[in-house]
Each structure stands twice: as C-alpha cells, then as structure tokens.
Amino acid sequence: MATTNAKSPERSTPLAELTGRAFGAIPPTALVLLGIVSVQLGSALAKHLFSEVGSFGTVALRLFFAAAVLLLTWRPSLRMNRRTWTVILAYGVTLGLMNLCFYLSLSRIPLGIAVTVEFLGPLGVALLGSRRWLDAFWALLAAGGVILLMEGRGDLNLTGLLFALAAGACWGLYILVGAALGRHTTEGNGLALGMAVAALMTVPVGLSDSGTALFHPWILLAGLGVALLSSVIPYSLDLEALRRIPPRVFGILMSLEPAMAALIGLVVLGESLRWSQWVAVICVVAASAGASRASP
C-alpha cells in the first residue's frame, strides 16, 4: 500500500522553526491571553470592512490570506490516506461555516454579544454527557445569561442572534473535529490544509457577492490584517499553548473571551452594552470557566 501515514515525521520550514522558538520564550498563559486579544482585534477590524465588501467578502479575504500564510509556513504534504483527508475536509467545511455565520452575526449585533452567544457552543461541548449537579448549575447560569441578553436586547437584531447561535453550534463541532484533526496530522499541517479547504469554499461566494471591490489595495491590506489577527496569530498561539498547559487550564483562560470581546467592542468600536448585558456576559464567562475547571 502506497498511502503515507499522516503521523510520519515531516521537516519543518525555517519560518516554522523560528516561530516555534519565538513562542517558546513566552509563558503559555500569556500566549492564550495574547491570542484572545488578537482574535477580538481582528473581529473589530473585520467589522470595518463590512460596509465595503460585506460579510461574505470579509470571510473570503480572511480565509484566503490565512490559508496562504499557513501553507507557506508549514508546506504540508498532500500524501495522506483517505481517512485523514476526510477529517481535513470536515474541519475545513466546519471552519468556513463557523466564520461565515459569525461574520453574518457581527454585521448585525455588537461584538461582545455575538461572541457571548457564540461561546455557548464550546460550553455545550464542555458539559456534553455530564451528570454532575455542579455542571447542571453551570448550564443554568449560562442559560440565565442568555435570558438576560434577550431581556435587555432592546433593538438587537434577532437574525444576528440566530447567526451567533449557528456560529456557536459550528464552534462546538469545530472542537470535536479539531480533536480528530490533531490525532491524524502533525504540527500545523492539518490546520493549513483545513484552512485551505475553508478558503476554497468561501472565496467563490465572496467574489460573487463583492466583485472587484475585493481587489482594491487597501481592502486587500485590511483583509491580510484580519487574517493575521483573527486566524494565523491566535491559532498558532493556541497550538503552542496547548502543548505546554493542560486543556482544562486552557479552557478556563479561553473563558475570558466574551468579556474581552465586549471590552474591545467598547474601546475600539464604541459599542456600549447595557448593565444587564454586562451581567449576561459575566454569567457566560463564569459558567464556561466553571465547566472548564471541573472537566477532566
């Protein structure tokens, strides 16, 4: 049989080795926090692109440039068995749908609320199959946060909330498929190929929706910035952090993401939340941190 085992050792590129050494000098908790700040700054930058190229065009730019950078960094081999390619395709499709739903949500509701609702996806995965009463409490606390969001939503767009829920469902699936990707590929090779699949899925849609507006120099530059801030930098930081800290600790730190999104939305985008919405964000953050702390 001529198929190549996906876990066979591959030579890293000089850029990948340099990146690994740079990340190795930073404490893992700092890596996670830097990744959180990076991805939310990327979302804020993406929101400025919506008026020019729309949600579809922004997703296309983000995933195209992210795939290009990751492929150049890792230069993954295409010689993999059918099972590995199935996982990569599933990962890429899930990644593309997750980004598309999130940006469709972000174009309609504030960043902090979009991320808070989306975060129900990974929270659901953390609580999946649990029968402990404490986990039931975390689930109720998160549900209470969502109710507070709905009660204080004012003129919040219902379609935007539904897209955020869809993005959360994709995020939960992304975690499960990503675990399989980690078992079948090495280093950042699976991530690079999965990102390429996501780009192939979304770029034609973005071109059809936005046309030649995507090729303006400043739009391309902004798209590169979104890709670096929202995909390349945080995914690489997370990958390195997960090699050095337990997933439980990683999950607790990631629970800060909704609060960071609300803060960056306030500072960068001028999106102020009502007091009840801030309480809702805190409920979801606390529920996610508690569930991550208790999970094996």
Side-chain angles (χ1 to χ4, degrees):
M1 297 178 66
T3 54
T4 300
N5 191 312
K7 285 190 175 294
S8 60
E10 298 182 36
R11 294 171 59 188
S12 297
T13 66
L15 179 57
E17 292 175 356
L18 180 62
T19 302
R21 286 198 298 270
F23 287 166
I26 304 174
T29 52
L31 290 175
V32 179
L33 294 175
L34 286 171
I36 292 172
V37 173
S38 178
V39 75
Q40 299 310 327
L41 285 173
S43 295
L45 177 58
K47 198 153 188 173
H48 288 298
L49 280 175
F50 291 159
S51 60
E52 301 294 333
V53 295
S55 302
F56 294 102
T58 305
V59 170
L61 287 169
R62 170 182 173 174
L63 295 179
F64 170 79
F65 282 116
V69 172
L70 289 170
L71 288 172
L72 287 173
T73 301
W74 295 106
R75 299 179 190 174
S77 170
L78 299 180
R79 295 182 62 198
M80 297 181 182
N81 58 48
R82 184 179 299 178
R83 185 179 182 87
T84 301
W85 270 113
T86 300
V87 173
I88 289 172
L89 289 172
Y91 179 86
V93 170
T94 303
L95 183 63
L97 289 174
M98 180 178 69
N99 279 275
L100 185 57
C101 289
F102 178 67
Y103 279 180
L104 287 170
S105 168
L106 194 58
S107 66
R108 293 168 170 84
I109 60 177
L111 174 61
I113 294 177
V115 173
T116 300
V117 175
E118 185 194 27
F119 219 78
L120 297 178
L123 176 58
V125 171
L127 297 174
L128 188 66
S130 175
R131 296 180 180 178
R132 294 175 300 187
W133 68 267
L134 187 58
D135 286 335
F137 168 75
W138 300 129
L140 288 173
L141 184 61
V146 174
I147 291 171
L148 274 175
L149 278 180
M150 297 302 294
E151 288 292 326
R153 72 185 186 95
D155 59 352
L156 279 184
N157 186 285
L158 180 60
T159 303
L161 290 172
L162 292 175
F163 274 126
L165 283 172
C170 290
W171 195 355
L173 182 60
Y174 167 85
I175 292 171
L176 300 177
V177 178
L181 186 76
R183 293 192 298 269
H184 287 84
T185 62
T186 58
E187 297 183 312
N189 300 296
L191 172 61
L193 291 172
M195 193 71 72
V197 171
L200 288 172
M201 185 180 77
T202 55
V203 167
V205 179
L207 285 171
S208 175
D209 185 66
S210 305
T212 57
L214 287 177
F215 299 104
H216 292 172
W218 82 268
I219 294 290
L220 291 172
L221 185 61
L224 176 60
V226 170
L228 292 174
L229 288 170
S230 296
S231 296
V232 178
I233 292 174
Y235 290 176
S236 300
L237 291 173
D238 291 350
L239 186 67
E240 180 62 28
L242 280 167
R243 292 191 176 107
R244 296 157 59 189
I245 57 176
R248 177 178 58 85
V249 178
F250 179 83
I252 293 171
L253 292 170
M254 285 296 293
S255 301
L256 297 172
E257 193 158 321
M260 182 61 68
L263 184 60
I264 287 180
L266 176 65
V267 174
V268 179
L269 299 174
E271 297 175 342
S272 59
L273 302 184
R274 297 180 176 84
W275 69 268
S276 60
Q277 293 170 336
W278 278 106
V279 172
V281 170
I282 292 171
C283 286
V284 173
V285 167
S288 179
S292 299
R293 186 176 185 274
S295 64

